[in-house]
Every structure is written in structure tokens, then in C-alpha cells.
């Protein structure tokens, strides 16, 4: 359970309001948030700006959530931030009078959950680093997310919205969009993906109420040009440079959408109204075409169609929309390579529909299922049975991830490709396993 938002603001005041001097770009959405944050940061760094980025979850090391200028923070900085929050909590609760008054006294039995604790640490760390831009990804939703107490935002960004966490956010894209749009602020521009009509209508209505400029990005803004080995070439309509050609170092077509959002968001940051006819133009300091191009090409975001061994890819597709996007990429390769799948999911996802989507469009040499997520795990035998019912002929399973990965990698052989999909937990476990080896 999160702390009451008023209490969280109260606690940040006790920490000295570390957010007060940060220039914040706030990012919400269902899928693509982390990638958009990474692309924005990469472009800004290429243009000579210092960035700090707070994302979640981590895959292997908790410090991944705290990125300063392209590198996760040091163990010393992590410990310093942890102890600073801990000491403030101890002081808060030891001075509590128990009267429940929020004034100058602490709220009664004030606690932070895991995510709130890490967010407080991030703000303290970033305040020390003094970045030019601080990019913050929401954890869940937006309106009630711990990250949303900050008000000094330069820009808000909303990525693709689809059905996920419906028990918390609502069972339609419109309801979910309303939660995501909670990050909007009066007069602060919003760049959003115009991919779902209901979601877009909600975002625009909220932005209009707040007097916030709305900048949509859709498939009309970018064009796929082709694959080059493990690169994707595409063109993007720029706000200032007409059409520009860009290259992604990935095989994931869905990253064109995230890169397009990131480029547009960076351009809006440097928007100027100085043109005589009122048109927008690039203000001083706006990244050049070449800086944008190099920022996109040089960006790395782990766990999203990441090649961890030759022709072995891990992808964090963990909901129905994410799986559809994975399938769009994998389909391209099934005419060239025999495909093997390692799959796992957690029990609060619609894994039956995820499996149906995968099996309806891709034929596999072999499927292996395993278990992840602790108390949320789905038995590997249950997942295997669903794959069999969906028509997969060669299906194996193991509740041990190392054994399951070995089975899948062996089935891949020298001539195939292996995709590991279904949960970010699975991605993290595989990366941890490979690091140990």
C-alpha cells in the first residue's frame, strides 16, 4: 500500500525537497516507457547534456533503476541514498507524537513501500548529480503513482496504452488512459502516442482542460525502410528538419514507435515561438540531425529484443499487446530460421491469450516452459499444456530456469533462433544465469 500522497510530499520536505531544482520529463504508458526514456537520454547526451533517468523494474542489479549519464550509479552512491532515506524515516517515526497531525509533526506510523523508498533515493541521488534533464518513468498508472507528486515538469510523455494491470487501472483503454493522463500538468506540453482512439480522446480532453499543448505521434510520422542484418532503417518526420533517416540497432520493429516518440519529445523540449508567422522552430541548443541520428543508433535498452548469445534473444513482452509486438518481429525470421521459444508468465497476466497469439502466427521447432515470479508463478506444466492445446507438437517444461534454458538452447541448434519471452522476471533470470556463467 502506498503512503498517502500528502504524507509522501511531507516526507520529501523532510528530505529537503531534492526534486525542487530538477528539470523533469515525466513518462507514463503501458508499453515502451523504458525504451522511450532510454532513447531520449541517449539523444540528449549525444547533444552534450547530462541526464538522470529513473526507471523500473530492474533485471539483474537494483542500481539499474538509477541511471546518471548512461551509467547506473555506484554501489557507494546507492548505499548513501539508502541510508539517507533510512535515517530520515527513523527520525520521522521516533519524533512522532502519535496525534496523527501532519503539520510539523510526522504522520502516525509513517512508512514507505519498496517503490516509494527507491524513488526517494533516486531524487536524493539526482539532486547531488545536478543533471541538465531528469527523466522519470512512472511505475504503475500515473495519477496515483509515487512519481507523480512532482510538479516542476518541463514535459510529459505518454507511450502506447493497452490493457494491463486492469485490476488497478480499469478494464478499458479509456479508463487506463485516464490514469496515465494524471501525470499532465497545467500548461505543460504532452507528447503522446496516437495509437488508440479512445485513449487519445481521453488524453486530449484532459490536456485541453489544463491548457496543455498536445503533440501526437502516430504511424503516419515514420516509415519503415528495411532491415540491414541486425539493424532497422526508417525515416521520421521531424518538427524542424523535414524527414530524417534513422537507424536502430535492433531487430524489433516496435522500437521505431518508441524512437519516434523520443525524438518528438526532445524536439518539443527545444521548441520556440520566435518565427514571424507563429510557426514552431528549433530553439538554441536543440540537438542537430546528426546528434539525433547518433543518439538513436547508439541507444541500448536491455531486455527488449536483446541478443544475449548468438541468435538468442530475450524480450520483456509480458502482456497481450507486448506479445503482439514480439510476434510482429519474430514472424519475419520464421521463413529463414527454425524458431525455438522459452516461455514463462505470472498469474496476473492473461497468459492464455498471450500463448494463443503466439501460436496462431508462429510455428516453433520446440517450445519450453518454465516458472518465474515467486508467489505469482504459473506452473510450467500448466503453460506447457496450453501450448499443446494450441497445436505445438514438441513442448517441454521444467520448473528450473537453468534446466529449461539449457533445453531450449540445445533445441535451437546451430541453425536456429531462440526467443525467451513472457515476463521481465524471465529476462532477468536468464541474464543473471548468463552472467554467472
Amino acid at each position: 500500500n502506498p503512503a498517502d500522497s500528502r504524507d509522501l510530499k511531507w516526507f520529501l520536505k523532510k528530505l529537503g525537497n531534492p526534486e525542487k531544482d530538477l528539470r523533469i520529463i515525466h513518462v507514463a504508458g503501458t508499453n515502451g516507457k523504458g525504451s522511450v526514456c532510454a532513447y531520449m537520454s541517449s539523444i540528449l547526451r549525444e547533444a552534450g547534456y547530462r541526464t538522470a533517468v529513473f526507471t523500473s523494474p530492474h533485471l539483474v542489479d537494483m542500481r539499474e533503476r538509477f541511471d546518471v549519464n548512461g551509467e547506473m550509479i555506484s554501489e557507494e552512491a546507492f548505499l548513501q541514498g539508502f541510508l539517507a532515506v533510512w535515517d530520515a524515516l527513523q527520525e520521522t517515526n521516533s519524533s512522532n507524537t502519535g496525534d496523527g497531525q501532519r503539520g510539523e509533526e510526522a504522520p502516525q506510523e509513517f512508512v514507505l513501500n519498496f517503490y516509494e523508498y527507491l524513488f526517494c533515493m533516486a531524487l536524493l541521488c539526482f539532486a547531488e548529480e545536478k543533471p541538465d534533464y531528469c527523466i522519470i518513468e512512472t511505475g504503475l498508472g500515473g495519477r496515483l503513482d509515487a512519481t507523480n507528486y512532482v510538479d516542476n515538469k518541463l514535459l510529459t510523455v505518454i507511450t502506447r496504452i493497452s490493457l494491463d494491470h486492469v485490476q488497478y487501472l480499469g478494464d478499458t483503454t479509456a479508463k487506463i488512459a485516464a490514469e496515465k493522463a494524471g501525470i499532465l500538468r497545467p500548461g505543460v506540453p504532452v507528447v503522446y502516442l496516437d495509437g488508440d482512439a479512445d485513449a487519445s480522446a481521453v488524453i486530449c480532453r484532459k490536456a485541453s482542460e489544463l491548457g496543455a499543448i498536445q503533440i501526437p505521434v502516430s504511424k503516419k510520422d515514420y516509415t519503415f525502410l528495411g532491415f540491414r542484418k541486425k539493424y532497422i532503417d526508417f525515416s521520421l518526420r521531424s518538427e524542424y528538419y523535414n524527414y530524417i533517416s534513422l537507424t536502430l540497432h535492433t531487430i524489433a520493429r516496435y522500437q521505431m514507435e518508441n524512437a519516434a516518440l523520443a525524438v518528438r519529445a526532445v524536439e518539443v523540449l527545444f521548441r520556440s515561438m520566435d518565427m514571424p508567422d507563429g510557426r514552431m522552430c528549433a530553439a538554441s541548443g536543440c540537438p542537430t540531425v546528426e546528434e539525433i541520428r547518433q543518439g538513436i543508433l547508439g541507444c541500448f535498452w536491455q531486455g527488449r529484443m536483446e541478443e544475449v548469445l548468438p541468435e538468442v534473444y530475450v524480450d520483456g513482452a509480458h502482456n497481450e499487446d507486448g506479445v503482439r509486438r514480439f510476434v510482429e518481429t519474430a514472424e519475419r525470421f520464421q521463413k529463414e530460421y527454425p524458431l525455438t521459444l522459452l516461455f514463462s508468465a505470472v498469474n496476473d497476466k492473461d497468459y492464455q491469450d498471450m500463448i494463443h497469439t503466439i501460436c496462431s502466427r508462429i510455428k516453433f521447432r520446440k517450445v519450453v516452459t518454465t516458472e518465474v515470479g515467486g508467489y505469482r508463478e504459473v506452473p510450467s506444466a500448466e503453460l506447457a499444456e496450453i501450448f499443446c492445446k494450441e497445436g505445438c507438437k514438441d513442448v517441454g517444461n521444467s520448473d528450473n530456469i537453468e534446466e529449461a534454458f539449457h533445453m531450449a538452447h540445445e533445441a535451437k541448434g546451430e541453425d536456429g533462433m531462440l526467443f525467451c519471452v513472457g515476463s521481465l522476471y524471465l529476462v532477468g533470470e536468464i541474464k543473471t544465469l548468463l552472467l554467472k556463467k
Side-chain angles (χ1 to χ4, degrees):
N1 294 323
D4 182 284
S5 61
R6 294 168 299 174
D7 293 348
L8 189 57
K9 284 192 174 186
W10 182 92
F11 184 68
L12 263 294
K13 184 177 179 181
K14 297 290 283 186
L15 291 177
N17 287 121
E19 80 288 354
K20 65 182 182 297
D21 294 323
L22 296 175
R23 307 175 74 210
I24 293 171
I25 304 165
H26 203 186
V27 182
T30 305
N31 290 328
K33 299 189 298 294
S35 295
V36 170
C37 290
Y39 283 124
M40 281 194 291
S41 177
S42 185
I43 293 169
L44 289 168
R45 295 197 316 273
E46 191 68 33
Y49 297 102
R50 280 177 56 80
T51 63
V53 186
F54 177 69
T55 57
S56 63
H58 63 274
L59 299 178
V60 179
D61 191 319
M62 201 178 298
R63 291 179 296 135
E64 295 166 21
R65 297 171 182 247
F66 312 84
D67 178 290
V68 175
N69 236 29
E71 300 288 342
M72 63 182 178
I73 63 173
S74 66
E75 292 179 346
E76 291 77 10
F78 182 90
L79 178 60
Q80 184 178 353
F82 178 88
L83 293 176
V85 176
W86 178 263
D87 290 344
L89 277 173
Q90 302 311 302
E91 180 183 346
T92 292
N93 287 321
S94 65
S95 64
N96 184 14
T97 63
D99 60 9
Q101 298 298 311
R102 289 189 173 87
E104 289 303 316
E105 298 298 335
Q108 190 171 2
E109 296 183 275
F110 180 75
V111 296
L112 294 173
N113 66 24
F114 174 74
Y115 182 74
E116 291 165 340
Y117 199 114
L118 294 181
F119 182 54
C120 291
M121 288 173 55
L123 293 179
L124 286 171
C125 173
F126 295 165
E128 286 287 322
E129 293 290 341
K130 295 180 173 56
D132 297 303
Y133 295 99
C134 179
I135 305 170
I136 296 176
E137 175 194 4
T138 59
L140 178 65
R143 181 175 64 92
L144 299 177
D145 193 73
T147 61
N148 197 37
Y149 91 94
V150 296
D151 291 318
N152 50 323
K153 303 177 187 181
L154 296 177
L155 179 68
T156 57
V157 182
I158 300 181
T159 67
R160 176 170 289 273
I161 291 177
S162 57
L163 297 181
D164 198 11
H165 301 295
V166 294
Q167 66 272 43
Y168 305 112
L169 304 179
D171 57 2
T172 67
T173 53
K175 291 178 181 177
I176 293 173
E179 293 298 318
K180 308 292 185 183
I183 71 169
L184 273 59
R185 290 294 187 273
V188 177
V190 55
V191 177
Y192 69 97
L193 182 76
D194 188 11
D196 179 276
D198 292 338
S200 295
V202 171
I203 293 167
C204 290
R205 184 164 58 249
K206 180 66 172 178
S208 295
E209 291 171 1
L210 296 172
I213 297 173
Q214 305 133 47
I215 303 96
V217 174
S218 71
K219 288 183 178 180
K220 297 177 183 177
D221 292 298
Y222 60 89
T223 303
F224 172 72
L225 299 178
F227 288 102
R228 269 187 308 117
K229 294 184 178 178
K230 296 178 181 180
Y231 294 84
I232 291 175
D233 293 327
F234 72 109
S235 67
L236 172 68
R237 182 186 63 79
S238 168
E239 287 255 307
Y240 313 123
Y241 306 119
N242 201 5
Y243 279 86
I244 57 179
S245 60
L246 299 170
T247 299
L248 295 165
H249 192 176
T250 180
I251 64 170
R253 290 186 64 148
Y254 61 77
Q255 290 292 27
M256 288 188 294
E257 171 181 294
N258 296 324
L261 273 168
V263 172
R264 187 70 77 249
V266 169
E267 289 179 334
V268 171
L269 273 181
F270 295 92
R271 186 174 255 200
S272 173
M273 292 288 291
D274 293 337
M275 297 288 282
D277 58 4
R279 287 186 295 111
M280 299 296 181
C281 67
S284 174
C286 183
T288 65
V289 171
E290 189 57 29
E291 288 166 346
I292 292 172
R293 187 173 287 129
Q294 291 303 317
I296 292 295
L297 177 61
C299 181
F300 170 72
W301 185 235
Q302 64 173 340
R304 278 65 176 182
M305 207 58 77
E306 176 188 357
E307 188 174 22
V308 292
L309 289 173
E311 305 303 341
V312 176
Y313 295 86
V314 294
D315 190 73
H318 59 281
N319 52 38
E320 180 64 11
D321 184 68
V323 163
R324 280 195 297 269
R325 314 284 280 176
F326 153 69
V327 168
E328 288 173 4
T329 295
E331 273 186 317
R332 169 187 170 244
F333 296 98
Q334 66 178 342
K335 292 182 180 179
E336 302 175 46
Y337 302 93
L339 303 185
T340 301
L341 178 70
L342 176 59
F343 183 89
S344 192
V346 291
N347 61 18
D348 58 356
K349 304 295 181 181
D350 196 345
Y351 51 87
Q352 295 200 43
D353 277 353
M354 292 162 65
I355 293 171
H356 175 74
T357 298
I358 292 171
C359 295
S360 66
R361 294 170 61 179
I362 302 179
K363 303 301 179 186
F364 295 100
R365 168 185 278 175
K366 186 180 182 69
V367 173
V368 180
T369 61
T370 189
E371 298 174 9
V372 296
Y375 71 93
R376 298 164 65 199
E377 70 186 20
V378 181
S380 61
E382 178 183 337
L383 295 172
E385 184 179 354
I386 298 172
F387 274 101
C388 290
K389 289 180 178 178
E390 290 288 344
C392 294
K393 300 188 182 303
D394 189 353
V395 182
N397 70 282
S398 172
D399 59 3
N400 181 278
I401 289 178
E402 184 170 2
E403 182 180 22
F405 181 76
H406 178 74
M407 290 169 58
H409 191 259
E410 191 173 62
K412 165 194 166 291
E414 295 293 326
D415 61 337
M417 294 179 73
L418 168 60
F419 293 103
C420 308
V421 177
S423 173
L424 284 167
Y425 290 113
L426 178 64
V427 173
E429 292 282 2
I430 291 172
K431 288 177 69 72
T432 300
L433 173 66
L434 294 177
L435 282 172
K436 289 179 180 177
K437 289 183 174 294

